[in-house]
Amino acid sequence: MLDQFIYKPIHSLPESGEIASKSPSNIALVKYWGKKPIQIPTNPSISFTLTNCFTKTNISFKKSENFSFNFTVKGVEKPSFVPKIESFLERIKEWCPYIFSYQIDIDTENTFPHSSGIASSASGFSALALAVLELEQKITGISNENKYLKASFLSRLGSGSASRSLYGPAAIWGQHKNIPSTSDQYAIAYHDLHENFKNYQDTILLIDKGTKKVSSTVGHELMHNHPFSKQRFSQASSNLESMINVLKSGDLHKFISITESEALTLHAMMMTSSPYFILMKQGTLAAIEKIWSFRSESKVPLSFTLDAGANVHLLYPLAYKQQVLDFIDNELIVFCQNQHYISDEVGSGANIISASYA
Ligand code: DP6
């Protein structure tokens, strides 16, 4: 099945070059929580791809006898990121051997603050993978479709949720028996969105910008001996099917109930792991209660979701933007650290900004 990802050069390697790519973050509607080696999800997931929260990555490379790479964020060396990149390059080595013929400088930049509590791994790994695949396309002439597919496959090896960032407006990762073309190895694009979900908004309340006490990696691991894992994995599969029907039919009521249930179930899994942990903060719960009252009084179809952190994502149709922004300014901003929130919306996925070779 993975034969399609085998590297088959037809041209010689460029001597040097520079490639810039851009990839957004994504927000899962049905959550990935639990994995097997190497980066195989224990249940399928679906996400909306975002627009404004993205990573821009620039790789410049020069042929060299000895492989080496240098990693910077806006030109500043970040040694703490190096081990992650190193193990990513090690994992993709068998699929992309050509990168080891170069000396590579990788520079990245996020539009969202590193300390915002928004994971940069999804946008970061997908931007890097797409840049690598751009070089591969130069050498192998693979189609654009396969370029994205392999970039999603590589991104997954860096961070599971990164596999979904390549495609907009939504992406599905993980095999589902009733959804054709789904795979544990890579994500696929999901396009069939009802008018209600076009330009859907995601306003992210930055409740807590601190570093998480328990990383996603540890959280995923705790699903192994989790008392509710079996039920959770089958619930996620059935929620994915329901969510796809909702995205097609435009049923906002059902959308609200699935997304909120998924968010709370994700955190319920954390609270019932051994050891247990809580990533929500007081502001998270207070914001959720406000959202529920606002929805019942105003009838605005606003729902929330959560990632593996305290921040609250507000999801709603574009038509209600002003009403929701007023609600945030009046009632929710008090729960945001330094009054910070980020306005985002559904977007179209990753792309190459420029590529040049010598
Ligand atoms: C709660 O993709 O960050 O955001 O594969 O270990 O890098 P790794 O985990 P990661 O986990 C994301 C978990 C989540 C849900 C989701 O995005 O589906």
Side-chain angles (χ1 to χ4, degrees):
M1 183 180 66
L2 298 178
D3 286 1
Q4 60 187 320
F5 298 135
I6 294 171
Y7 169 63
K8 297 185 196 98
I10 56 168
H11 303 294
S12 54
L13 300 188
E15 283 305 311
S16 64
E18 190 165 350
I19 297 169
S21 63
K22 175 180 161 181
S23 187
S25 184
N26 66 74
I27 180 68
L29 304 172
V30 173
K31 310 287 181 183
Y32 146 57
W33 197 242
K35 62 178 169 183
K36 299 175 271 189
I38 302 167
Q39 300 284 101
I40 297 296
T42 38
N43 67 258
S45 57
I46 184 165
S47 52
F48 275 151
T49 308
L50 298 180
T51 303
N52 301 329
C53 291
F54 65 85
T55 301
K56 230 165 82 178
T57 294
N58 199 86
I59 59 171
S60 46
F61 46 92
K62 209 170 56 219
K63 272 253 194 83
S64 166
E65 290 285 300
N66 301 310
F67 167 75
S68 70
F69 79 93
N70 183 40
F71 180 79
T72 51
V73 175
K74 284 208 250 182
V76 180
E77 297 215 356
K78 292 279 172 191
S80 60
F81 287 80
V82 168
K84 265 194 150 184
I85 310 267
E86 235 160 31
S87 75
F88 173 66
L89 295 177
E90 203 43 52
R91 276 184 187 170
I92 70 169
K93 196 172 183 171
E94 66 174 302
W95 307 103
C96 309
Y98 50 91
I99 50 180
F100 292 87
S101 307
Y102 292 103
Q103 227 178 9
I104 307 178
D105 286 320
I106 306 169
D107 184 60
T108 77
E109 190 177 325
N110 292 333
T111 53
F112 47 98
H114 173 59
S115 60
S116 63
I118 300 176
S120 56
S121 57
S123 54
F125 280 113
S126 50
L128 178 58
L130 188 62
V132 169
L133 256 295
E134 182 68 18
L135 169 59
E136 178 162 325
Q137 188 176 40
K138 174 87 180 153
I139 310 164
T140 64
I142 53 167
S143 66
N144 277 333
E145 191 184 334
N146 284 339
K147 174 167 83 174
Y148 273 78
L149 207 59
K150 186 165 174 181
S152 172
F153 167 74
L154 296 186
S155 303
R156 185 203 101 230
L157 295 171
S159 175
S161 55
S163 65
R164 298 185 308 237
S165 276
L166 275 306
Y167 303 107
I172 303 172
W173 170 45
Q175 206 191 347
H176 191 292
K177 61 180 186 334
N178 299 335
I179 309 173
S181 310
T182 51
S183 168
D184 286 345
Q185 302 288 344
Y186 47 82
I188 57 168
Y190 178 81
H191 288 288
D192 195 359
L193 283 191
H194 183 274
E195 211 41 48
N196 285 349
F197 295 108
K198 302 254 162 82
N199 306 104
Y200 218 65
Q201 301 292 299
D202 178 7
T203 306
I204 310 161
L205 307 179
L206 303 178
I207 306 277
D208 186 53
K209 304 186 193 173
T211 321
K212 288 183 280 185
K213 289 198 178 60
V214 181
S215 71
S216 294
T217 312
V218 172
H220 285 294
E221 258 170 45
L222 293 176
M223 287 306 283
H224 283 308
N225 293 313
H226 196 289
F228 307 133
S229 58
K230 204 162 158 244
Q231 295 92 320
R232 165 58 196 154
F233 300 148
S234 75
Q235 177 202 40
S237 287
S238 93
N239 277 348
L240 174 58
E241 254 185 310
S242 309
M243 181 54 83
I244 284 174
N245 290 330
V246 162
L247 294 176
K248 283 183 189 157
S249 68
D251 183 343
L252 292 171
H253 188 71
K254 193 92 195 285
F255 178 82
I256 291 171
S257 69
I258 302 172
T259 28
E260 293 191 348
S261 165
E262 275 289 318
L264 294 177
T265 303
L266 169 71
H267 285 257
M269 290 299 111
M270 301 173 190
M271 291 193 263
T272 48
S273 300
S274 177
Y276 46 79
F277 60 103
I278 300 180
L279 295 182
M280 291 186 283
K281 299 281 179 194
Q282 289 183 7
T284 314
L285 289 176
I288 290 173
E289 287 190 1
K290 290 275 184 197
I291 290 164
W292 285 342
S293 320
F294 172 78
R295 186 167 71 222
S296 91
E297 282 156 24
S298 68
K299 307 292 175 234
V300 171
L302 164 69
S303 58
F304 72 85
T305 188
L306 307 168
D307 257 346
N311 295 337
V312 178
H313 290 246
L314 303 185
L315 303 174
Y316 53 96
L318 176 62
Y320 296 93
K321 188 167 181 176
Q322 198 48 54
Q323 237 174 308
V324 173
L325 291 180
D326 289 345
F327 166 54
I328 294 172
D329 286 340
N330 294 331
E331 301 199 47
L332 299 178
I333 201 133
V334 290
F335 307 122
C336 301
Q337 259 191 15
N338 308 117
Q339 317 216 316
H340 277 173
Y341 63 85
I342 296 176
S343 290
D344 213 332
E345 63 182 358
V346 166
S348 57
N351 58 278
I352 294 294
I353 300 168
S354 61
S356 59
Y357 306 94

